[in-house]
Each structure stands twice: as structure tokens, then as C-alpha cells.
């Protein structure tokens, strides 16, 4: 029985509330800094018409479950009906902050292939309505998947449903310490505090304080090192603040993190004040990347992200870009095979035999680094030498020598870090020695393959291969292998093409 | 070394494959750019050169008459601009032939492999099973020479659209049909 549904009566409040909140922070900051009272009047003037509009919107908003699509109707004078095919909805997210939980409602966000802009935001629905929507979408998606799957119904083994990962507060603290979130925010807050003259700090008193600080530091380490010491101390304090913020942020946004598998969906749920739950159909995952930065590596932890795309949007195929989803914010290295098999059903994820790139890659990387180094260093150094600043010139020369050493180290490590592996239907690629990234992609998700031979490649008998997938956003890990021996590259090109041809691509 | 991708030596013998449907053209498995492509590119290049020459002439005249610069300055500008125009003309004349020698399209059961590039050489392999849809387009100059460009659309991000220019109109249509006529259950 298809009938029209309305949003929850409190939607009006939430619409206004969320807009106000968006306004609030900059408004507050502006009010603090400017100390003018005109702001609140303007705010009040804006609030009334906006409130009326929000009320009106609630009254006219209706949605309905069509046979193949979700239909949303809004407006009275200017009517608009939007139809979203179920097959296009690739992510259903629910957001519940403190107020939502207070009133027993939730905001539902439906994402489609576009990725950046949501197709539909239902603000807000009662919890029963949310369940109804989810069940309906699941059922509709399963039936449309069954249609397109046809005789080739998924024969791969489906691992059991259930929880894949859960993060405890302890893990979240570690994550906060390892990450660097809040660099900008802490800087902005400090800047704001400076503007607001808190702690009674104005220019004069700050100069006095600074002079005192330099004097005190000078007493400890002597006159030449007093300024550097202060700088180091300031940096240290800044870093501590950033880390504290990062820990707080991690706890706030990832509290109670759960990653679980529900049939054909992979869902995450997290958040302390604002609880966000998202669900992604597994077959819409295009590429999985396991990342490990140097700090993460120090503690033997990794992060796993996936690139998701899809929805059957045939007409607007430029909307293929999507942003990567962080499925696993933090996990021990040893847990990777188990986690991957949860995300990548039926794939053999352990024991890969890795193939390295051309042995002369190291020399090439070094040469290219040296060129860059030379280009950067030559002007300052000759400038210093010519103008007679011998100390500076000597320092620059010393720095250059150090950098050459670093370049040599990097060339050695990086050339060994480019690896690839092929196994049945799974293609893997590794890159980076400090920031390690391993990506996995199935043949069915390979869209096209490009082999590129630059003039430098030609000189050395090398070539590079790049695998193109759907939804490969700029923030993802490009599936590119440089410095391959030319013949291996050609053969790899053909094999990847065969893998892709032998499989069907399904959004 | 990959070798000059445009060379016939080292590649397999081009086997002429009859086109599907009722197209009268026989499209070989390895398609070179049509000879008329060079003419088309040269025509376009000619237009660009003419515009550039016009700009230089106008600049020189304006300088001379309106701004009353000394003759030698105007001559310098004219000479400099003229040299640039000559370079453009020479480039427009000789580059298309070089491009043509380094471009080829290899159609097979797998899909289509586009080889192009003179200095930065690329081979783009688009499996037939991944072509979402395709277009054949013709600019006015192309139409005059009977050429067309085939556009292949995939779900990829870097190559969401792949262009195959320099085909005769008939060949483009045949290639499009051939690449689109996938098996029934290759539906997306």
C-alpha cells in the first residue's frame, strides 16, 4: 500500500536549529571581536522569515515509496517532485545529535553517485519512519540487484553477518595522539584569543612578557640560544595543544565506533554527541586502501579507507567522483587480513607475492631528486656566496649535503617500495616507505588501463601503468605503478585488460 | 623499449574484419588515422595562423598610426610577431603528420587500445565490457572532409570520456556499433 508520508512535526525546529547553528559560530566570533550590538538585531530580522519558510517547508514536504524510486514532493505554489531510483541510492546515513535523541527522531541523508551533494535530506523522521525507510530501501535494492545479477547470482562465499570492528575509548585516545587534527582549529582559536585581548594581553604587555621570557631563557642557555629555545618551547606547547584537541575530537566523533556487516551492506556507527550511522552496499566499494603513516607505523597500526561510487547514473557520468570513506580509523596491523575479508568477501587477502619495479628505478629517482634539489638550492647559495655572506653560504651548503643524503636514502627506500601483485581476480598495489599505502581492486572494478611512456621512461626502458576506477577522488590512492620494465608493463596492460573484460561491472 | 607505436613492423598483421550490420566499410583491426586527418588539422592550423597574423598586423599598424611609435619599433614588433606567426604556421603544417604516424587504434575482442603521443606515449585500453555509451561527433571542418570523432564513455574517473579522433565517418560508426554490441548479459 503506497501512501504519502510526511516528515516529523518537529522538523521545523530542526531545520531552523541547524541553520542557526551554522550561523552561530561565526556570528558569535564576530560579535565577540567587534563588540557591536547591531548584530543581534540583524539576526532577529533574519530569524523570523526563515522560521516561516521552515514551517512552510515542513507542511508541504511529502515522500512516497514508488515501485522503482523514492518520490519526494515539496512546495505549494512552486511544486517540485523529485524521483530517486532506489538503485542509485548507495549510502543511507542517519544523523542523531543530542536533540534528535531527546525527541526520538533522526535526520536521514540519502547519498547517490554524485557523492558531494546529497540527493535527499529528510529532516527529520521519527525512528519508526527511519526503520521503515531503511527496510524498504534494503528490500528494493536487493530485488533490483537480483534483477541485474541474473544467472550470475553472487556465488562467492558470504561471510557471516556481524560486527567487524569496535573501537574502545583507549583506541580513540591513541588515534587522537597519532593524528594531527586540529592544526588549523587550534591556530584559529589562538588567533581569536589574541584578538580578544583575553588575559589582558595587549601589545605593550606582550612585548614586556616576551623580553622577560628571552631574559629568562638567556639565563638558562646563554644569549645566543635564548630565542631558539623560546621558539622551540612555543612550538612544543602548540603541538601539545593540537594533540589534546585531536584526542578530544577523536573521542567526540568516533565514540563507540562500530563497523559491522549486515547482509550486502557494510555499516558504521559512531559519535558521542552526534551519532552518525552510514551503510554502504559492499559491491559499490571500488578500491580498498590500507594506509600507514610513520606515526601509525611506529605503533603498528593502520587505517583502512574505501572508495565508493555507483548508483546507475548513466546520464551524468561525470558525477563519478566520490570521497573516500574511512571504514577503519585505527586497527593493529595483524588484524588487516580479517578486516579485509570482512570488506572483501571471498577474496584471498593474505600471502601476496609482490613484484618489484625496474632495478634502475632507484637511480632514476635519485637523479630526479638531485635535479630538483639543484634547481632549488642554486640561487640562494650563489646569492649568498656572491654577496659575501659566507656563514649563510656555508650553512646552505651543509644543508644541501644533508638533503643529498636524504635524497639517496629516499631513492633507495622508495624504489623498493613500489610493488604490485596479481592473484586471480584481485590486483594489489603498494607504494611509499614512510607513508605506506596498499590498495586492492577487483577486476570487475577496473574501468580502463593506461600505459604511459615518458621520454625519460624511454631512455631507461621503463613505462608506467595506471588503473582507472569509478569514484577515484583526488584524495584517494591513485592506482599507478611507475618505473616498470617496458615489457612487463605491456604484459600487465594486457592482463589487466583481460581481467576487466572477463568480468561484468555492476554499479 | 616499446618501439614506435605507429610502426607496422613489430605489430601483428592487420587483419581486415568485416563490419557488422550493413555498413559497407571493412574496418581493419588496426586503424590508422585517416589521411584526411592531416588535411583537417592543417586547415584548422591555417585558420589559427591567419588569426595570429591578423593580430600581429593590427598591432603593428595600431602602433605605427595611433601610437606614433618610431618606424623601427613597429618593424621590430612586426618582425618578432611575424617570426612567431611563421613558427605557428610551420608547426601547424608539420605536426599533424608526426601525430598521425604515432597514433593508431587497435580494436579486438577485448576492446579498443588507443595508442597516441609523440613524446609522452600512451596506450589506453578500454575493455568493451566497460564502455557505458558512445557518441560520434563531427565539427564543421571534419564534416567537409568526411571525418568524425568517436567518444567513448566509461565509468572511470581519469578517462570518463575517451576521444578517438581522425576516423572517417563510416569507420567511426562501425567502431561505435562494434564496441557497443556487447553480449546481452553485459548489461550495466
Amino acid at each position: 500500500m503506497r501512501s504519502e508520508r510526511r516528515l516529523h512535526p518537529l522538523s521545523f525546529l530542526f531545520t531552523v536549529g541547524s541553520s542557526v547553528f551554522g550561523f552561530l559560530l561565526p556570528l558569535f566570533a564576530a560579535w565577540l571581536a567587534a563588540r557591536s550590538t547591531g548584530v543581534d538585531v540583524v539576526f532577529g530580522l533574519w530569524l523570523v522569515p526563515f522560521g516561516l519558510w521552515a514551517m512552510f517547508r515542513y507542511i508541504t514536504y511529502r515522500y512516497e515509496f514508488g515501485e522503482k524510486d523514492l518520490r519526494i514532493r515539496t512546495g505549494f505554489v512552486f511544486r517540485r517532485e523529485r524521483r530517486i531510483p532506489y538503485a542509485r541510492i548507495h549510502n543511507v546515513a542517519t544523523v542523531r545529535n543530542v536533540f534528535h535523541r531527546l525527541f526520538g527522531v533522526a535526520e536521514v541523508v540519502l547519498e547517490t553517485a554524485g557523492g558531494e551533494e546529497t540527493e535527499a535530506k529528510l529532516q527529520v523522521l521519527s525512528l519508526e519512519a527511519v526503520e521503515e525507510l531503511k527496510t524498504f530501501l534494503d528490500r528494493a535494492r536487493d530485488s533490483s540487484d537480483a534483477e541485474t545479477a541474473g544467472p550470475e547470482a553472487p556465488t562467492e562465499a558470504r561471510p557471516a553477518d556481524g560486527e567487524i570492528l569496535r573501537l574502545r575509548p583507549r583506541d580513540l585516545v591513541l588515534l587522537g595522539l597519532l593524528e594531527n587534527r586540529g592544526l588549523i582549529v587550534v591556530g584559529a582559536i589562538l588567533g581569536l584569543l589574541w584578538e580578544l585581548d583575553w588575559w589582558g594581553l595587549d601589545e605593550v604587555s606582550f612585548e614586556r612578557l616576551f623580553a622577560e621570557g628571552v631574559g629568562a631563557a638567556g639565563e638558562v642557555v646563554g644569549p645566543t640560544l635564548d630565542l631558539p629555545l623560546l621558539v622551540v618551547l612555543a612550538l612544543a606547547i602548540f603541538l601539545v595543544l593540537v594533540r589534546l584537541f585531536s584526542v578530544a575530537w577523536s573521542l567526540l566523533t568516533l565514540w563507540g565506533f562500530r563497523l559491522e556487516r549486515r547482509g550486502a551492506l557494510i555499516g558504521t556507527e559512531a559519535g558521542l554527541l552526534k551519532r552518525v550511522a552510514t551503510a554502504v552496499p559492499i559491491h559499490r566499494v571500488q578500491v580498498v586502501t590500507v594506509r600507514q603513516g610513520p606515526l601509525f607505523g611506529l605503533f603498528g597500526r593502520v587505517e583502512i579507507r574505501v572508495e565508493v561510487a555507483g548508483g546507475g547514473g548513466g546520464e551524468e557520468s561525470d558525477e563519478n567522483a566520490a570521497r573516500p570513506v574511512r571504514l577503519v580509523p585505527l586497527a593493529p596491523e595483524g588484524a588487516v587480513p580479517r578486516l579485509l575479508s570482512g570488506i572483501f568477501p571471498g577474496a584471498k587477502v593474505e600471502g601476496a607475492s609482490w613484484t618489484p619495479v625496474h632495478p634502475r628505478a632507484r637511480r632514476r629517482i635519485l637523479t630526479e631528486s638531485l635535479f630538483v634539489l639543484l634547481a632549488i638550492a642554486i640561487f640562494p647559495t650563489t646569492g649568498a656566496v656572491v654577496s659575501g655572506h659566507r656563514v649563510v653560504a656555508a650553512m646552505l651548503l651543509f644543508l644541501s649535503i644533508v638533503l643529498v643524503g636524504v635524497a639517496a636514502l629516499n631513492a633507495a627506500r622508495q624504489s623498493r617500495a613500489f610493488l604490485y601483485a596479481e592473484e586471480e581476480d584481485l590486483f594489489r598495489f603498494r607504494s611509499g616507505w614512510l607513508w605506506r599505502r596498499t590498495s586492492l581492486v577487483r577486476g570487475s572494478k577496473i574501468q580502463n588501463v593506461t600505459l604511459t611512456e615518458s621520454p625519460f621512461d624511454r631512455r631507461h626502458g621503463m613505462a608506467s601503468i595506471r588503473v582507472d576506477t569509478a569514484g577515484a577522488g583526488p584524495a584517494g590512492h591513485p592506482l599507478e605503478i611507475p618505473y616498470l620494465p617496458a615489457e612487463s608493463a605491456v604484459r600487465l596492460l594486457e592482463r589487466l585488460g583481460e581481467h576487466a573484460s572477463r568480468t561484468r561491472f555492476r554499479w | 623499449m616499446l618501439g614506435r607505436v605507429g610502426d607496422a613492423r613489430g605489430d601483428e598483421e592487420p587483419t581486415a574484419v568485416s563490419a557488422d550490420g550493413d555498413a559497407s566499410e571493412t574496418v581493419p583491426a588496426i586503424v590508422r588515422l585517416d589521411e584526411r586527418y592531416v588535411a583537417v588539422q592543417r586547415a584548422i592550423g591555417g585558420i589559427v595562423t591567419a588569426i595570429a597574423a591578423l593580430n600581429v598586423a593590427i598591432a603593428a599598424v595600431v602602433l605605427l598610426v595611433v601610437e606614433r611609435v618610431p618606424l623601427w619599433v613597429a618593424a621590430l614588433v612586426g618582425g618578432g610577431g611575424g617570426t612567431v606567426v611563421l613558427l605557428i604556421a610551420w608547426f601547424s603544417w608539420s605536426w599533424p603528420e608526426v601525430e598521425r604516424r604515432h597514433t593508431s587504434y587497435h580494436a579486438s575482442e577485448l576492446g579498443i587500445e588507443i595508442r597516441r603521443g609523440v613524446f609522452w606515449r600512451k596506450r589506453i585500453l578500454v575493455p568493451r565490457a566497460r564502455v557505458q555509451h558512445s557518441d560520434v561527433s563531427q565539427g564543421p571542418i571534419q564534416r567537409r572532409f568526411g571525418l568524425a570523432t568517436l567518444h567513448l564513455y566509461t565509468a572511470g574517473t581519469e578517462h570518463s570520456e575517451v576521444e578517438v579522433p581522425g576516423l572517417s565517418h563510416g569507420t567511426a560508426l562501425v567502431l561505435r556499433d562494434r564496441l557497443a554490441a556487447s553480449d546481452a548479459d553485459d548489461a550495466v
Side-chain angles (χ1 to χ4, degrees):
Chain A
M1 221 288 271
R2 308 278 172 260
S3 64
E4 275 194 346
R5 284 135 168 86
R6 317 269 295 265
L7 296 173
H8 193 279
L10 289 175
S11 308
F12 144 74
L13 265 180
F14 281 93
T15 311
V16 175
S18 69
S19 280
V20 167
F21 188 68
F23 255 96
L24 208 60
L25 221 50
L27 216 62
F28 185 62
W31 174 76
L32 271 186
R35 314 267 171 116
S36 75
T37 49
V39 176
D40 10 3
V41 175
V42 171
F43 181 67
L45 276 179
W46 164 85
L47 189 61
V48 171
F50 186 75
L52 284 176
W53 175 84
M55 172 89 79
F56 180 74
R57 190 164 181 277
Y58 155 68
I59 293 176
T60 60
Y61 196 104
R62 284 148 223 266
Y63 68 98
E64 185 180 0
F65 294 111
E67 209 179 284
K68 288 215 150 78
D69 48 21
L70 179 68
R71 293 165 196 190
I72 300 178
R73 288 192 200 96
T74 53
F76 185 68
V77 177
F78 293 97
R79 300 204 187 163
R80 162 199 272 237
E81 180 185 289
R82 167 177 275 179
R83 296 192 178 194
I84 309 170
Y86 298 126
R88 265 191 86 160
I89 300 173
H90 77 84
N91 196 356
V92 179
T94 59
V95 179
R96 308 187 69 204
N97 62 28
V98 183
F99 299 107
H100 288 113
R101 277 186 278 195
L102 209 58
F103 293 108
V105 296
E107 179 182 310
V108 177
V109 174
L110 304 173
E111 287 177 7
T112 59
E116 284 132 29
E117 17 96 21
T118 57
E119 273 298 332
K121 187 153 100 153
L122 292 126
Q123 183 184 53
V124 292
L125 293 180
S126 70
L127 288 179
E128 302 92 55
V130 173
E131 275 315 302
E132 182 191 31
L133 180 68
K134 277 196 190 165
T135 324
F136 204 94
L137 285 178
D138 281 351
R139 233 187 318 135
R141 196 191 300 116
D142 283 343
S143 73
S144 91
D145 284 354
E147 266 174 39
T148 52
E152 291 179 39
T155 47
E156 60 234 5
R158 272 230 199 132
D161 282 5
E163 194 172 280
I164 302 179
L165 180 75
R166 181 191 283 264
L167 291 181
R168 300 158 301 183
R170 204 156 30 135
D171 304 316
L172 297 180
V173 170
L174 179 62
L175 179 64
L177 290 175
L178 293 180
E179 283 192 322
N180 243 341
R181 286 187 194 248
L183 212 57
I184 297 177
V185 175
V186 171
I189 292 179
L190 288 179
L192 196 64
L193 291 178
W194 172 257
E195 286 293 321
L196 297 181
D197 298 341
W198 278 18
W199 306 320
L201 272 182
D202 58 354
E203 293 244 351
V204 174
S205 58
F206 180 76
E207 277 176 19
R208 208 165 17 101
L209 205 66
F210 184 69
E212 279 179 33
V214 171
E219 277 179 40
V220 176
V221 285
T224 40
L225 288 178
D226 54 2
L227 198 56
L229 177 66
L230 265 190
V231 169
V232 166
L233 269 178
L235 271 176
I237 294 178
F238 182 71
L239 277 176
V240 166
L241 281 177
V242 168
R243 280 297 190 275
L244 280 177
F245 181 86
S246 187
V247 170
W249 182 260
S250 170
L251 284 169
L252 208 64
T253 53
L254 291 174
W255 184 266
F257 180 90
R258 279 179 64 220
L259 176 71
E260 68 169 359
R261 203 204 149 101
R262 285 197 309 270
L265 298 172
I266 276 234
T268 65
E269 195 183 320
L272 183 60
L273 294 180
K274 185 165 84 158
R275 197 130 186 102
V276 180
T278 73
V280 175
I282 290 191
H283 66 79
R284 301 236 166 105
V285 170
Q286 310 291 314
V287 178
V288 177
T289 306
V290 179
R291 313 165 104 233
Q292 189 182 52
L295 272 182
F296 272 67
L298 219 61
F299 284 82
R301 299 288 201 280
V302 302
E303 177 193 2
I304 303 185
R305 293 192 190 178
V306 297
E307 286 164 24
V308 181
E315 314 102 41
E316 302 106 46
S317 37
D318 322 324
E319 290 177 4
N320 284 339
R323 42 169 206 289
V325 173
R326 201 165 60 148
L327 276 193
V328 174
L330 187 80
E333 281 169 338
V336 168
R338 183 181 62 85
L339 292 171
L340 284 182
S341 59
I343 303 168
F344 250 150
K348 210 168 30 138
V349 287
E350 339 186 11
S353 60
W354 298 96
T355 314
V357 294
H358 200 293
R360 275 205 264 136
R362 169 181 172 170
R363 210 186 312 167
R364 249 191 88 182
I365 298 178
L366 182 60
T367 317
E368 285 165 14
S369 312
L370 287 180
F371 259 113
V372 171
L373 211 58
L374 191 68
I376 297 179
I378 195 163
F379 283 120
T381 321
T382 45
V385 165
V386 163
S387 58
H389 287 104
R390 286 201 294 191
V391 175
V392 173
M395 274 173 39
L396 281 178
L397 209 62
F398 177 69
L399 189 64
S400 307
I401 294 176
V402 168
L403 285 179
V404 165
V406 169
L409 178 70
N410 176 60
R413 290 279 172 90
Q414 204 183 21
S415 57
R416 279 203 304 263
F418 283 117
L419 299 164
Y420 67 97
E422 306 160 66
E423 215 143 334
E424 297 170 2
D425 190 43
L426 207 59
F427 170 69
R428 295 176 234 221
F429 169 55
R430 244 188 212 173
S431 72
W433 60 285
L434 271 185
W435 275 269
R436 300 198 191 133
R437 293 196 270 196
T438 310
S439 288
L440 296 88
V441 66
R442 304 183 99 133
S444 54
K445 301 304 182 196
I446 298 177
Q447 297 300 325
N448 51 72
V449 191
T450 308
L451 182 152
T452 308
E453 191 197 45
S454 75
F456 309 110
D457 282 326
R458 226 175 352 268
R459 252 192 81 216
H460 295 267
M462 301 182 193
S464 69
I465 287 260
R466 189 181 170 133
V467 173
D468 196 18
T469 55
H477 179 211
L479 297 167
E480 187 171 348
I481 320 171
Y483 311 122
L484 284 168
E487 301 86 42
S488 311
V490 173
R491 283 199 303 265
L492 188 60
L493 175 75
E494 286 162 11
R495 280 204 303 275
L496 288 171
E498 273 171 55
H499 270 300
S501 309
R502 264 192 265 124
T503 52
R504 268 179 52 241
F505 174 68
R506 203 176 57 148
W507 281 112
Chain B
M1 297 288 205
L2 286 182
R4 290 246 300 258
V5 290
D7 286 352
R9 328 165 223 149
D11 289 334
E12 18 352 327
E13 288 290 311
T15 41
V17 178
S18 303
D20 305 324
D22 44 2
S24 52
E25 279 195 45
T26 320
V27 175
I30 298 181
V31 178
R32 291 300 168 70
L33 290 185
D34 201 284
E35 305 103 27
R36 291 168 283 177
Y37 172 78
V38 177
V40 169
Q41 295 298 105
R42 283 179 177 167
I44 297 175
I47 295 177
V48 172
T49 312
I51 294 177
L54 197 65
N55 280 334
V56 171
I58 291 178
V61 166
V62 161
L63 278 178
L64 204 57
V65 174
V66 176
E67 304 280 338
R68 308 291 175 96
V69 302
L71 189 64
W72 67 271
V73 173
L76 204 65
V77 168
T83 317
V84 172
V85 168
L86 279 175
L87 279 172
I88 295 178
W90 173 74
F91 188 76
S92 315
W93 183 261
S94 50
W95 187 253
E97 181 56 45
V98 176
E99 242 189 332
R100 181 169 174 262
R101 257 184 286 141
H102 288 265
T103 309
S104 60
Y105 309 127
H106 301 240
S108 67
E109 283 305 303
L110 233 57
I112 184 169
E113 183 181 301
I114 299 158
R115 298 188 188 181
R116 62 179 188 218
V118 179
F119 295 112
W120 255 265
R121 300 192 189 159
K122 288 193 179 212
R123 295 191 194 187
I124 305 174
L125 178 57
V126 181
R128 173 190 296 208
R130 297 288 187 268
V131 176
Q132 301 274 322
H133 55 273
S134 47
D135 276 347
V136 172
S137 77
Q138 278 186 306
I141 301 186
Q142 281 181 312
R143 213 170 329 172
R144 176 130 180 1
F145 284 87
L147 295 186
T149 303
L150 175 66
H151 303 259
L152 298 172
Y153 295 92
T154 71
T157 320
E158 188 196 2
H159 292 296
S160 59
E161 181 188 340
V162 181
E163 282 188 12
V164 185
L167 300 168
S168 78
H169 192 50
T171 313
L173 292 173
V174 167
L175 269 181
R176 178 185 68 179
D177 294 337
R178 203 189 278 174
L179 286 171
S182 19
D183 323 329
D185 20 70
D186 259 1
V188 167

